[in-house]
Amino acid sequence: MTDTTQQLHKGVNLAAVVALGLGTAVGVAIFSVIAPATALAGPGMLLAVLAAAAPMFVIAVTYAFMGSALPTSGASFEWSRRFIHPFVGFLIAWLRIVSNVGAILVLALVAVRYLSMVVPLPTKPTMFAGFLLFFLANYFGVALAARLQVVLMGALVVLFFIFAAWGAPHIEPAHFEPLLPHGTAGMLAAVPLLIGLFFGIEAATEIGDEVKDGRKAIPLGIALSIGSAVVLYLMVAVVALGVLGPEALARSETPLLDAAQPFMGPIAKPLIVTAAVVAIGKSLNSLYLGFSRSLFAMARAGMLPAPLTKIHPKYGTPHIALWTILGGATLGLLAPMNLTSLFLAVNIPTLLKYAATSFSAVVVVRKHPEIYAAARFKLSPRATICWAYAGAAAALVIAVLGFQADWMPYAALGVWAMIGIAYYVVTHRKSA
């Protein structure tokens, strides 16, 4: 098998690692999910944000260890394939194909809806224009995509700070009492909704071959990403809750816009719409980066067609994989769009990915002491195993809890899994 990895360009520095993690996590959810979370928890929604961060922090510790021990492109696939079983790596990555296409569609659709609040736009042609924009940003080199991510992340942080600083004097302390109107149970019920705020914190591990000094930059970047995400979310949520109050916030369909209008007036709509589009743009850019490297890694391992391993001779990017993503997203425009089902279809494979990476970490500690020793970030062997099991358990429990909300995405993913299993069996019989 050709070693194409050497041709991938190392164009991602620490700032880009942080921007990739934050850029994937801080997306469309912050503009919508705090409203239903407040309906469940009242002001206790703020505590629920911290509670939601806890399992992601556990999982992030495992990702930091694995990213510093064995940085590689398509990391979640490669680790599962190598340390659990090739079929496990294949199946999770296969499920993530449909979830990644679904995520691209959701993000583009929501971005167009926000933009249409300011300027009327045709939905699907504008979505395609977005697909093409981020395809080009990633096609012409990972350094360009990484720089774009840093710029977009910086712009979003500035917009959030404007929102928070302008709104802080308008906060009503009475809106935070009582803190737990629905008790601890209400606060805990909001956690499954809010955990999606932190999905993608580990995004830079998926392009490990292209990170400069990856063994150091990846774990440090993950730590900075999750800490920054908690601060940003709490800052925005405190202002929204303090200005609107829990009852009004719970009823809102556009919570940040509704919170901004009392103190920003006519500036609120263009500012919040800009923030939403920038946040979604960051997530789309991160998706193109990580998804293309996942397809590349699967093909490199012989589990998808070999052309997906081709690296552009000038730009050093997996250009066939990027073309495939553009084609898949474009075909997705023909499908009906149900946001609730699409969100679950995105989250379930992501949680399975987290569980598999956690189990991979256990195998590394127990059976590959040389890889454990090479890690720049690591706990003791016993502590690493405990953290990994805790992360796997948290991911699997949350994945099961989603069945209560809507069973249809589980059925659809089951059908897609059956197709993948058939493909895996047929291709391995041919190669045997």
Side-chain angles (χ1 to χ4, degrees):
M1 189 176 299
T2 304
D3 184 7
T4 54
T5 304
Q6 293 179 352
Q7 302 173 42
L8 290 170
H9 292 178
K10 289 188 178 291
V12 181
N13 58 18
L14 176 61
V17 169
V18 176
L20 284 169
L22 274 178
T24 308
V26 184
V28 67
I30 186 59
F31 294 89
S32 57
V33 77
I34 59 174
T38 302
L40 291 169
M45 174 267 294
L46 300 174
L47 298 178
V49 170
L50 293 173
M56 283 308 301
F57 175 75
V58 173
I59 292 167
V61 169
T62 298
Y63 264 91
F65 161 65
M66 291 295 289
S68 71
L70 196 66
T72 185
S73 290
S76 296
F77 162 74
E78 287 288 357
W79 296 335
S80 301
R81 177 188 70 83
R82 179 172 174 181
F83 300 120
I84 301 178
H85 191 277
F87 175 72
V88 173
F90 167 83
L91 186 59
I92 291 174
W94 178 264
L95 290 174
R96 292 189 65 233
I97 291 174
V98 73
S99 75
N100 282 326
V101 171
I104 290 171
L105 291 169
V106 167
L107 290 167
L109 175 62
V110 175
V112 172
R113 287 181 177 176
Y114 267 97
L115 283 171
S116 296
M117 295 169 67
V118 179
V119 181
L121 292 168
T123 300
K124 292 190 176 181
T126 309
M127 289 173 68
F128 175 75
F131 300 158
L132 189 60
L133 172 65
F134 290 102
F135 164 80
L136 293 172
N138 282 268
Y139 187 89
F140 292 114
V142 70
L144 174 61
R147 285 196 297 270
L148 176 63
Q149 194 71 8
V150 172
V151 170
L152 290 174
M153 190 66 242
L156 184 65
V157 169
V158 169
L159 291 169
F160 277 166
F161 269 102
I162 292 172
F163 171 82
W166 201 336
H170 301 269
I171 290 174
E172 295 288 344
H175 287 161
F176 298 94
E177 298 176 356
L179 182 61
L180 296 172
H182 308 299
T184 304
M187 185 272 288
L188 293 175
V191 171
L193 281 177
L194 293 169
I195 195 169
L197 292 172
F198 299 96
F199 283 174
I201 285 292
E202 77 299 334
T205 61
E206 301 299 337
I207 58 168
D209 285 329
E210 296 156 278
V211 177
K212 299 174 183 177
D213 194 10
R215 294 183 187 275
K216 178 181 178 181
I218 288 175
L220 181 56
I222 290 173
L224 292 172
S225 295
I226 196 165
S228 301
V230 171
V231 171
L232 283 174
Y233 289 144
L234 286 177
M235 180 179 70
V236 170
V238 164
V239 172
L241 182 63
V243 171
L244 283 181
E247 292 80 11
L249 183 59
R251 293 192 302 268
S252 176
E253 293 186 359
T254 54
L256 297 193
L257 178 58
D258 290 345
Q261 283 177 333
F263 58 87
M264 287 185 176
I267 299 176
K269 182 176 286 187
L271 183 75
I272 297 303
V273 167
T274 300
V277 172
V278 169
I280 292 166
K282 294 184 304 68
S283 296
L284 279 168
N285 193 49
S286 292
L287 267 171
Y288 266 86
L289 271 169
F291 188 13
S292 60
R293 275 57 178 181
S294 178
L295 294 177
F296 169 85
M298 291 179 75
R300 181 174 59 184
M303 294 183 178
L304 285 180
L308 290 170
T309 63
K310 290 186 180 297
I311 302 299
H312 195 284
K314 180 176 180 181
Y315 303 116
T317 53
H319 59 116
I320 302 299
L322 287 165
W323 276 110
T324 302
I325 293 168
L326 179 62
T330 303
L331 287 174
L333 292 174
L334 303 176
M337 311 241 172
N338 181 310
L339 285 179
T340 302
S341 296
L342 282 171
F343 271 124
L344 279 172
V346 169
N347 289 349
I348 295 162
T350 301
L351 288 162
L352 293 176
K353 176 189 81 168
Y354 291 158
T357 295
S358 297
F359 284 123
S360 298
V362 173
V363 176
V364 166
V365 174
R366 288 180 170 169
K367 297 185 178 181
H368 299 275
E370 74 287 355
I371 296 176
Y372 172 81
R376 294 279 290 272
F377 169 85
K378 56 178 176 283
L379 306 175
S380 69
R382 184 185 297 273
T384 301
I385 290 172
C386 289
W387 277 97
Y389 277 135
L396 293 174
V397 167
I398 296 166
V400 171
L401 287 175
F403 192 83
Q404 301 174 44
D406 187 357
W407 62 269
M408 288 295 291
Y410 290 82
L413 285 169
V415 172
W416 179 247
M418 292 299 104
I419 295 171
I421 291 169
Y423 173 84
Y424 183 88
V425 170
V426 169
T427 55
H428 274 66
R429 280 181 178 173
K430 288 181 179 178
S431 61

